[in-house]
Structures are given as C-alpha cells and as structure tokens.
Amino acid sequence: MKDNPVKKFFRCQYVCMGIILLLIGIALAAIGYRVQTEKGPYYGWITVLGVLGMGFGCLCFLLSLTRKEKHQHKLLNRKKNQEQAIKKD
C-alpha cells in the first residue's frame, strides 16, 4: 500500500513547525487587531509577536522546500553516477 502524500508531506519537522508558527502568528495578529479596536494597552506587542510568528513560519516552510530540493538533487546525482559506473564496466 502506498504512503499517503499528505502524511508524507507532514513528516518533515520544518513543515510542521512552519504551519504551527503560521497559525500561531495569524491568531496573535487577529487577537492584536481585536485588542486594538477595544483600546487595549498591549495590542502593539501582540501584533508584533504575531507578525514575527508568521515570518518565522514562512521561513521554516521555505527551508523545508529547499531541503527537499537539495535531497532530490543529491539522489539524482547518485543515480547518474551509478549509470556512468555501469557503462564503464
């Protein structure tokens, strides 16, 4: 039975961390916006934390994509080297 592509995608720790940080950042930004409308004293700090959370979430997600691309490139190079070794023999 084949692996579910969604489960395979979420095995990467950077993808999971990125999605979690994005969700936390969005929630904090929404809370900060809500507190701002009620004239709360700390809405600025809450919003800044939300934006930072979203930024780090995006960075983690992009890091996972670049790591995946490097891994695929490495596997492709290994396959080419094996084919060249077979041709030499």
Side-chain angles (χ1 to χ4, degrees):
M1 192 169 164
K2 289 187 176 183
D3 273 344
N4 186 353
V6 175
K7 286 183 181 178
K8 190 175 182 180
F9 183 72
F10 282 108
R11 282 186 202 154
C12 180
Q13 68 180 3
Y14 294 108
V15 172
C16 291
M17 186 181 302
I19 291 173
I20 289 169
L21 283 174
L22 275 172
L23 292 176
I24 290 171
I26 290 170
L28 284 173
I31 290 169
Y33 182 73
R34 177 70 179 165
V35 171
Q36 177 188 8
T37 59
E38 296 174 0
K39 306 287 188 238
Y42 299 112
Y43 75 90
W45 289 108
I46 296 171
T47 306
V48 167
L49 288 175
V51 170
L52 288 175
M54 287 189 287
F56 284 126
C58 288
L59 287 176
C60 286
F61 191 75
L62 290 175
L63 178 64
S64 71
L65 293 178
T66 58
R67 288 173 55 97
K68 182 177 180 179
E69 184 65 32
K70 284 182 183 180
H71 181 69
Q72 288 176 348
H73 185 67
K74 188 189 317 181
L75 292 177
L76 183 63
N77 282 341
R78 286 182 187 169
K79 186 176 180 182
K80 285 181 183 179
N81 289 340
Q82 286 177 350
E83 289 175 357
Q84 289 176 353
I86 291 172
K87 287 181 181 179
K88 287 183 180 179
D89 292 337

